[in-house]
Structure formats: C-alpha cells, structure tokens
Amino acid sequence: MAKNLLIVESPAKAKTIEGYLGKDFTVKSSYGHIRDLVKSEDAIDIAHNFEQKYEVPADKKQVVSELKKLAKESDMVWLASDEDREGEAISWHLFDTLNLKEENTRRIVFHEITKPAIMRAIENPRKIDYNLVNAQQARRVLDRLVGFELSPVLWKKVKPSLSAGRVQSVAVRLIVDREREINKFKSEAAFKITAIFGKGKQAFKAELPERFTKQEDAEKFLNDCIGAAFNVKSLETKPTKRAPAAPFTTSTLQQEASRKLGYSVSRTMSVAQKLYESGYITYMRTDSVNLSDTALNAAAQEIISAYGEKYHQQRKYKTKSAGAQEAHEAIRPTYFNQHTIEGDSGDKRLYELIWKRAIASQMSEAQFEKTTAKISISTRQEELVANGEVMRFDGFLKVYLESNDEEEDIQDGENAMLPPLTKDQLLDLQEMLATERFSRPPARYTEASLVKKLEELGIGRPSTYAPTISTIQNRGYVVKEEREGKQRKFRVLTLAANKITKEERTENTGAERNKLFPTDIGAVVNDFLVQYFKGIVDFNFTAKVEKQFDEIAQGLKEWTEMLHSFYGPFHNDVQSTIETADKATGERELGAHPENGQKVSVRIGRYGPFVQIGENSENDKPQYASLRMGQSIETISLEEALELFKLPKVVGEFEGKQMKVAIGRFGPYISHNSAFVSLPKEIDPLDVTEEQAIELILAKRKKDAEKLIKAFDEDPAVKVLNGRWGPYIEFGKQNVKIPKDKDPATLTYAECKALADAESKAPKKGGKKFVKKK
C-alpha cells in the first residue's frame, strides 16, 4: 500500500496528478463535497451559535467509506482540494469526516496542474485555514437561512413552490429595473448630417458634430450647402497608442467568452474546469490579474520566439478588487508555448481565447497615427469633421483585440484612412445626407454584462456568478431569449447634384438576441421583496455582506457575530410580513370592456399571468384568458388583452372533426381529434386559415411517423422513437436511454421494460429541496 494518500476534488484532476507522482502516492477524488447540511429544519441551531448538522448523502457514502479505508492504511494524507474558500471547506469536511489526525494530515494548494507546481506544493504544505472555512460556512449558513425562511413567505403571499436566494434576488432586481427603464424610455428623433467628398479611392466621409431635432432645420442646412465651397480649415495629426487588457479573471473570462464565442456563463465555467483539470490552464475561479514571475518569463520567451523582441513589453497588473488575493494568479495557460490544444472544438476555442489574452497582456502597445480634418462651409458657421486612423505598429493586436458590450452606432468611416489632404484644400462634395436617427434605451443585460454589473456592485464572487445566473433562469424569474424587432420608418434627405430628394425608409428596431428578460412572476416576486425585505435586494447591503465574508476569510471578523447581526432583523421581517402583508399578484387594471363596461384586469395566478373580464358575483362569472408568450402584465394594453378572448376559435373542419385554435401555457396551438399541433412563431393565431391548419396537421403527422421507430402490441404507450439527441424509449411517461450496444429497431418489448425498470431503480441526481419551516 502507498505511504501517501492525496485527495483532490475531481477524478479528472486525480488522473492528471497521478501521472506526476511516483508509486509512493495514491491519488483519489472526493467527487466534490462529501457532506452537506441536513435537509431538515434542524440543520442550523441558531440558539447555539449557528451550530450546523451535517450528513453524508447516500451517493457519497461509498466514496467516504473507501477514503476512510485508504486513510487508515496511509502514513500521510494530503488534502489537495481547490485553493478557494469552497475548496478549503472541502478539505475541512474531509478532515472531520475521515477522522484524520493533525500530525498525519497536510493541506496543499496549487494554481496549476503541472509537475513542478505539484512538487512545489508538496514541499510547502500548510494546515487548514479555518478563516477561509469560516467564510464559506458563513455564506452557506446565511444563504440556507434566507432560503428556508423566505421561501414559505413567498408560497403564502405570492404563489406556491417559489423560492428566493440572497444574491439571486439582487440579480433579478437588476433585470427587472432595467426592463422598466426600457419600457418607460421615450425615444427622441434627430437628423444626423454626413457628407461624402471625393471619388473612388480618394473618397472619404465627414460628419457634422451637431444634430437637428427638426426636419425643417436639417433641410435648411442641406439647402444652404447647395453651391457652397468646402475647404479644409485645419489638419491635426497626432500619434496614439492602445494598450492590451489584463489577463482574465473569472468574470472577464465569462464576459469575453460570451461576446466572442457566444458561450453561456455556465458553459464557460464547465469548459474552463475541464481545461484546468487536464492541466492546460491555471485555476479558473479567481479575481486576481496577477501573473507569477515564472509566467512572465515564459510569456516573454514565447513572444520573442514567435514574434520578435520588439513585440515584448512586460507588465505587472494590479488587482482592483478589494477582496482579491494577489497570491492567486489570473487565468492563463500553464505552458505559453502551447498555442492550441487537441480535442473538442469548444474546449479548443476557450483555451485559445485564454492563451491570446494572457500572451497579449505582455506584448507591446499598438501604435496609430490619428488625423482629424475640420472642413469649413462657405454658407454656414458650422464645420464638418473627418477622422482617419492609420496603424503604424500592430503590437498586441497581432494576437488579440478585446470586445465590449456597447451597442453604439458603428460610425462608418471612423478609424478609416483619409486620403492625402492639405490645409485650405477645396473639396468636391459628392453627396450629403440628413438621416433621421433615434435615441436608444439602455441595453438589456446579457449574461456577460450582468456578471460585469454584479462585479461592479461588489455582489457575488468568482465562484458565485455562474450559479447565480443559472438559478434565476431555472427558477423561472428570468428568461434568456431572442425577440423579433418591429419595423420603424425613418426619413432621409439627400443632397446630390445640387438637388434635394426626400424618402421614407424602413428599419428593424428592438430585435434582441440572447438577452435576459424578467418574467411576470420574477417582477412580482421582486416587487414583494423590495417592499418587505429591503435588505435582501438592496445593492449596498448585499455588497456589504460580501465584504464581511472577505473580512472573515482574512481573520478580521468573527463569523457567528456577523450572522447574528444579519439574522435578527431578517427574522423579524419574516414574522411581520407573514402576519401583515397582503397577497401579491401584480394586478393591474386595464380599463372597461367597450361593449359591457365590465372591469378588465391582468394579474399573476396559480398557472401564470392571465386577463380577467368582470368580477365574481351571484349573476356573473368572470372570463379568463392566458397571456401569450412575449406578453407581460406590465405592458399589455386593453386592446391586446381583449384580443386574447377571440380564442379559442374554430377555423374549419378536417376529416369530419373541428379544428380549433387556442392558446395554452406553452403558446398557441391547433387541436384536432384529441391531437395538438403547435403554431409556428411567424403565424398569428388570430389569422390562421382552414388551409393552413390542415397543412400543419398533416406536417405534424408526417413528422411523428418519421419519429416512430417501433411500437408494441403489448402496450401502445411503449414506443421506440427518434429524438433530438438520438433514439430513445418512451415507456409511458418515462423516457429511457438506449445503450450504445443495442439496435433500436430490433428491441423487444421485454428488453424495453427491463431497461425502463433498471433506469427507474437507479439513484436520482436530485436537487436540494427547501423544507417548510413550521
């Protein structure tokens, strides 16, 4: 038996490290946390200083049993979980659960999985850092208390099965507030003046810095320019430089992978974890931009070798985040001479992004020559301005250019080259445009820009950004989706050949891609929390709590004192809210029905948002209609609400049965002979014709027939089907995977039943559920 047992968090990491250590080491994985707070309400004993009650989950008992046995047989146990607070807590849980002894236990950490880094860590062991453990415990306990106490309030006062969390609630508030800003925004129009001078390769664009709010003023400007002389009044040329961005932190990696690769925050972290565990990059949960001296030297060597001496410029970046630890490193490749990696294209793309960002951070500045020409107009006092830029040395841009979230208009001609110009030169006007442009509302959040905002506010830490964004979507408070824009008309006046022409053009506006939108239930829950639990959704308060966690991690604050100061006022708010708060529905009165004068209102119900006509009385029952996808109780108009009551409607007959169009929880559909066919997005349910309905029904039948691989006389509810991810078995309400060595077309009913039985008996990977507190 090996003398040393080294325990890491993941099997992939264990496999990589095992190759670096000799036969004296056995490397095993704990598969993450080996224990957690019990799921019952006695998990935290508030009266006894927040004492916690832990349990080893059923799916970890075998892991713990094996680790206990190996620990007893080893002379020394090395706890090598990750270097952050979560990793420190895992080491503490292992120490406690495996009944380890101080003299036979060592704690080691490393930023990268390379042989030198592992050997260096073994040569420099330390003890478990209980300040880090306490900071993690404080977060875990506080978040459990908030969830356990707040969720039942939401069940009673808003809607059953809801839940709330501390950081997640703040993230939802940001998205709700931004949506309301956008809804209130009134767009203002103004005319932008652009002019084209010269012809062919000598052509360039100039712009008037001012804009005209009235069409007549823009038209007068163009009129005044008929026959005017345009001269170069001044020319200014100056050198400019552009410096590279710092190497990645967790949040900047998430932001840039979203912009450049289109990755969700959770996908970025999943791929980065894989790259780290395979030894390709340094630890991926960090808020430091620091690079070690070893890394700086390796980067310098690679830059000089690949691009030459003039491309190298060493930089040491300082981390701005108060809670960051400079001992940690930024995310970087473990080997700078490895420009790419083999394997999955998703892994490869993220690795190359990390490599480029890290290497660019140690490269020379890009050098430009910027020229600004001011152009006088003989008939007006205003001046047109033309800008041009020429790159004199590419520097770091040879490798990498950072993206941003801004959605400004792209200035045509900005940074383009200007032709050779001289002061007082007379210019030949080819065309001048006055184009109507509209002011834009604030941009909706993407996952990347939300991470950036949370970081700016000091809310959350590298380990919490991805789970926060996943949670608010999984809970149905926020959706990430694409939305079609609307057609908008705009006016264009053109001066060419001394004549002004006017035309009206059309553009698409408001189209969104992968943006975060609050759902109606998300908005109602947010408003309820803002009204009754200001501390939970207050940005400054949440940032202050994060700062206190940092202070606990640094040994500057006692963790139970911090919890007492939070829990007392919070618990009182919970009690008073249960006793005094009204039920929250987000109800909004839209007006009176034009035909019968009855009240029309909209609100959240048990099954989602709906419109109601009339009120409960002895003589009348109200009418109800669900909102359609994309509609919101905050923005729906009376006219749009009344349209919903035109459905369901019969659109014709087919095969002797009625075809009916209706709207359900998942959108509009056609029902025919007990079958349901979803309507495509581009078809308005109110405009469906009999011919379209028949066409959609036949198309669905054809698709279903192609989907069916096999059916069974023994039980019509059992089928072998073609799915999006390949063939599977539909066994009643259960979907069953088909093993790779089985041919779906030759499966028997008995084999399908056996596979279904085996899968239903397999342990489920269930999420944690909140237990209602009595």
Side-chain angles (χ1 to χ4, degrees), residues 71-305:
K72 278 181 184 175
E73 294 169 355
S74 302
D75 296 340
M76 186 66 70
V77 178
W78 303 78
L79 302 176
S81 50
D82 290 341
E83 60 180 327
D84 56 12
R85 295 170 198 172
E86 204 74 26
E88 205 69 24
I90 288 173
S91 280
W92 170 68
H93 283 301
L94 284 164
F95 181 83
D96 202 48
T97 309
L98 303 181
N99 302 314
L100 302 178
K101 294 186 175 77
E102 285 271 1
E103 60 268 24
N104 296 74
T105 307
R106 299 286 182 272
R107 170 79 172 115
I108 60 169
V109 293
F110 35 83
H111 312 313
E112 61 186 23
I113 302 174
T114 60
K115 189 170 182 177
I118 305 300
M119 301 315 291
R120 202 161 45 243
I122 286 170
E123 286 164 15
N124 298 281
R126 61 170 174 80
K127 292 186 176 182
I128 291 169
D129 185 337
Y130 283 96
N131 290 328
L132 292 179
V133 174
N134 291 338
Q136 191 273 344
Q137 281 196 102
R139 180 188 290 279
R140 184 77 185 90
V141 169
L142 191 147
D143 288 348
R144 168 64 77 94
L145 289 172
V146 169
F148 255 57
E149 298 215 2
L150 210 49
S151 296
V153 179
L154 296 179
W155 302 343
K156 286 177 183 170
K157 302 297 181 180
V158 184
K159 186 173 172 257
S161 303
L162 294 176
S163 55
R166 189 178 53 84
V167 178
Q168 295 94 314
S169 298
V170 176
V172 172
R173 183 180 180 183
L174 283 167
I175 293 162
V176 170
D177 287 354
R178 178 59 55 88
E179 193 66 23
R180 286 174 177 163
E181 265 187 273
I182 292 166
N183 290 337
K184 285 178 187 171
F185 184 81
K186 301 293 180 196
S187 188
E188 293 178 355
F191 285 83
K192 173 184 169 183
I193 306 292
T194 52
I196 306 290
F197 293 102
K199 291 180 182 177
K201 290 184 179 179
Q202 298 298 306
F204 67 95
K205 182 176 281 190
E207 195 175 303
L208 188 72
E210 303 88 3
R211 295 196 179 190
F212 297 108
T213 54
K214 294 177 183 174
Q215 181 178 333
E216 49 265 39
D217 292 339
E219 193 171 347
K220 184 177 187 314
F221 183 87
L222 262 60
N223 260 312
D224 289 347
C225 288
I226 295 173
F230 298 91
N231 292 84
V232 177
K233 184 181 177 182
S234 67
L235 274 171
E236 185 186 6
T237 301
K238 60 179 180 182
T240 60
K241 292 178 180 179
R242 197 179 301 170
F248 283 130
T249 61
T250 302
S251 75
T252 54
L253 175 65
Q254 290 168 348
Q255 291 165 47
E256 195 73 340
S258 172
R259 299 180 196 117
K260 273 192 159 65
L261 308 179
Y263 287 7
S264 68
V265 166
S266 57
R267 183 183 179 191
T268 297
M269 292 314 291
S270 171
V271 174
Q273 176 107 21
K274 194 173 161 188
L275 293 173
Y276 167 64
E277 289 173 353
S278 303
Y280 291 127
I281 64 168
T282 51
Y283 191 55
M284 67 287 152
R285 282 193 281 275
T286 176
D287 45 15
S288 172
V289 290
N290 183 46
L291 290 178
S292 67
D293 289 341
T294 308
L296 292 172
N297 293 335
Q301 197 175 334
E302 186 55 29
I303 292 163
I304 293 164
S305 164

Side-chain angles (χ1 to χ4, degrees), residues 449-467:
S449 61
L450 182 61
V451 166
K452 186 179 180 183
K453 186 67 177 175
L454 289 169
E455 189 180 37
E456 282 172 5
L457 292 169
I459 294 165
R461 286 295 176 263
S463 59
T464 64
Y465 299 133

